[in-house]
Amino acid sequence: NIYGPTEATVYATAFTCDPADPDRDPPIGRPLGGARAYVLDERMRPVPTGAPGELFLAGTGVARGYLRRPGLTASRFLPDPFGPPGSRMYRTGDLVRWTADGDLVYLGRGDDQVKVRGFRIELGEVEAALARHPAVAAAAARVVEHGGHRRLVGYAVPRTAGLPDTAELRAFLARGLPDHLVPALVVPLERLPLGATGKLDRRALPAPEWAAPAAGRTGRPPHTEAERTLAAIWSEVLGVPEVGADDNYFTLGGDSVLGIQIVSAARRAGLALNPRHLFTHQTLAELAAAAQPVTDAAVSAAAAEQGPVTGDTPLTPVQHWLLETLTGDPAHFSQTVAHELATDPEEPLLRAALAAVLEHHDALRMRFEPDGDGRWRQYGTAPADGTAHLEVHRGAAPDEVARALGAGFDLAGGPLLRAALCRP
């Protein structure tokens, strides 16, 4: 399997496929002789194994540039900070990741990657998952603006006898994708719009119709008090004029983030729900039937302090997906935040504050380790007796301290929160 753009003289990387494994989606392999490959983030820094990044190619095969197009040449052919002095690298625009074996896996075009609610979404991944449904012949995806929110929408061309409804397709996708990659709506199409080159013309995909066909016309109107209360909440949060009793939450443009607003508004209106109810009871009538009146006891129970979470704790669906799909060490994925303090704090007080954060947030006391069958186990540890990881540095460069602090986490032994105080 050979990969390479014209700007890098066509052949840049290659992978030798195994004839005994014809169904494998092959990587694009490793750089060929004379070629160099870098996988970099938005700040032009190498990413760790398993993390997606943009592919840059360097070496003897890189072209000089585009004929009589100096501006485009300057934007795509950049100085190579990792190669010999004066060398250049080509910015491919392709997203890839390194495997633990040292091969490159192609993920798609960078311009097909979008953000929705803070999640980075590769549209090609959504399209590939939707196309795996036996009733789908071809699929596409895009992000649309609706009611001030960005929504992920899928498009599907049926094979023969039509498509299942959106709820069934969403359930199919949810078995293999995390929540933020499941489209809020799947629009049926006779064919995908193609451009002059035969590739998908994403801008020509039609705008979805968020309001269900039954809403405000032939559908059954809300009947019970709970249905009327929830209909008013849905109408306000989802930005639709009318909601019928049989309307589907996701067909109207709902998603998991808006669900939090709906659950909160329902509680203020006296109906007890949780976000999972919106996935298991997707129509207004079903959700109203599942809702329970908020009682004083329920309010007291919700407000009660449950105490520290310790012992084995089930992984969330997103944790399952992350730990099972990542290659390499998950401990590489850390976040470092710096704060400039107005005054020099007293070390004991700062250490006590960090210990209080650890005690309050159970997630920071979790430990992770693989079990015997290749899956991961998560378990909570008890709050330590007032101790927290705090380093004190004098005269050290904060950038160097941050790099050292964010490297080498031990997911099994902890701690998962480390802090450093840098003094002049």
Side-chain angles (χ1 to χ4, degrees):
N1 187 34
I2 296 175
Y3 164 90
T6 302
E7 292 87 345
T9 322
V10 184
Y11 297 155
T13 70
F15 177 81
T16 302
C17 300
D18 183 0
D21 189 12
D23 295 329
R24 178 185 182 184
D25 189 8
I28 59 174
R30 308 180 183 195
L32 297 170
R36 300 189 299 276
Y38 313 124
V39 184
L40 309 180
D41 64 14
E42 295 172 349
R43 298 184 181 181
M44 309 298 284
R45 300 172 301 187
V47 301
T49 298
E54 185 173 356
L55 176 60
F56 291 75
L57 297 173
T60 55
V62 174
R64 295 179 181 177
Y66 299 104
L67 183 62
R68 291 191 287 273
R69 301 188 68 181
L72 184 59
T73 296
S75 67
R76 307 302 292 186
F77 293 86
L78 310 177
D80 180 2
F82 311 104
S87 59
R88 293 180 305 156
M89 60 184 183
Y90 170 64
R91 183 172 209 156
T92 67
D94 290 327
L95 295 176
V96 299
R97 63 176 174 83
W98 289 110
T99 69
D101 297 329
D103 291 311
L104 290 167
V105 174
Y106 181 80
L107 301 176
R109 289 291 300 168
D111 47 17
D112 285 347
Q113 192 182 71
V114 294
K115 268 192 173 182
V116 177
R117 307 193 308 272
F119 291 101
R120 194 177 298 276
I121 292 175
E122 170 56 52
L123 295 176
E125 185 178 357
V126 179
E127 293 166 350
L130 185 55
R132 283 194 287 271
H133 192 284
V136 175
R142 65 179 289 210
V143 172
V144 300
E145 294 277 350
H146 174 69
H149 298 278
R150 290 167 61 83
R151 309 279 178 78
L152 179 62
V153 177
Y155 298 83
V157 177
R159 288 193 180 277
T160 50
L163 289 174
D165 60 22
T166 288
E168 181 178 332
L169 290 172
R170 281 179 47 85
F172 171 81
L173 293 173
R175 290 196 287 269
L177 295 175
D179 285 347
H180 67 273
L181 289 182
V182 177
L185 184 67
V186 179
V187 179
L189 296 177
E190 291 185 4
R191 64 182 64 86
L192 296 181
L194 304 179
T197 61
K199 294 183 178 180
L200 173 67
D201 184 357
R202 213 176 293 278
R203 290 176 296 181
L205 291 167
E209 176 61 49
W210 292 106
R217 292 196 285 273
T218 60
R220 182 167 60 90
H223 177 66
T224 66
E225 184 63 31
E227 288 178 0
R228 288 192 289 269
T229 298
L230 289 175
I233 294 171
W234 282 25
S235 179
E236 179 181 356
V237 174
L238 301 179
V240 293
E242 295 183 62
V243 178
D246 298 316
D247 286 349
N248 184 286
Y249 172 69
F250 294 100
T251 303
L252 294 178
D255 57 34
S256 56
V257 172
L258 293 176
I260 297 173
Q261 298 181 35
I262 287 174
V263 169
S264 177
R267 175 167 287 276
R268 291 195 299 271
L271 296 176
L273 292 169
N274 63 61
R276 181 51 54 186
H277 281 129
L278 288 161
F279 290 85
T280 56
H281 308 283
Q282 296 187 9
T283 70
L284 183 78
E286 291 172 351
L287 189 65
Q292 297 294 323
V294 175
T295 63
D296 292 339
V299 173
S300 300
E305 170 55 50
Q306 64 176 352
V309 175
T310 60
D312 284 324
T313 305
L315 292 169
T316 67
V318 172
Q319 286 177 311
H320 270 298
W321 172 80
L322 181 68
L323 292 170
E324 291 178 5
T325 57
L326 282 179
T327 57
D329 186 0
H332 288 308
F333 291 84
S334 61
Q335 183 179 29
T336 304
V337 180
H339 298 281
E340 185 173 349
L341 304 180
T343 58
D344 188 9
E346 296 182 25
E347 185 181 329
L349 292 179
L350 183 57
R351 197 177 297 277
L354 289 170
V357 170
L358 283 172
E359 182 174 356
H360 182 74
H361 293 284
D362 301 307
L364 295 176
R365 303 194 313 276
M366 291 295 166
R367 302 293 184 261
F368 303 84
E369 59 184 14
D371 58 23
D373 61 0
R375 295 183 176 272
W376 285 78
R377 169 178 173 248
Q378 173 183 232
Y379 59 96
T381 59
D385 51 353
T387 61
H389 184 102
L390 176 63
E391 304 171 6
V392 179
H393 299 266
R394 291 188 179 275
D399 288 348
E400 295 179 2
V401 173
R403 270 195 298 272
L405 201 67
F409 275 91
D410 181 359
L411 297 185
L416 300 189
L417 174 68
R418 301 195 293 205
L421 176 62
C422 296
R423 287 175 165 146

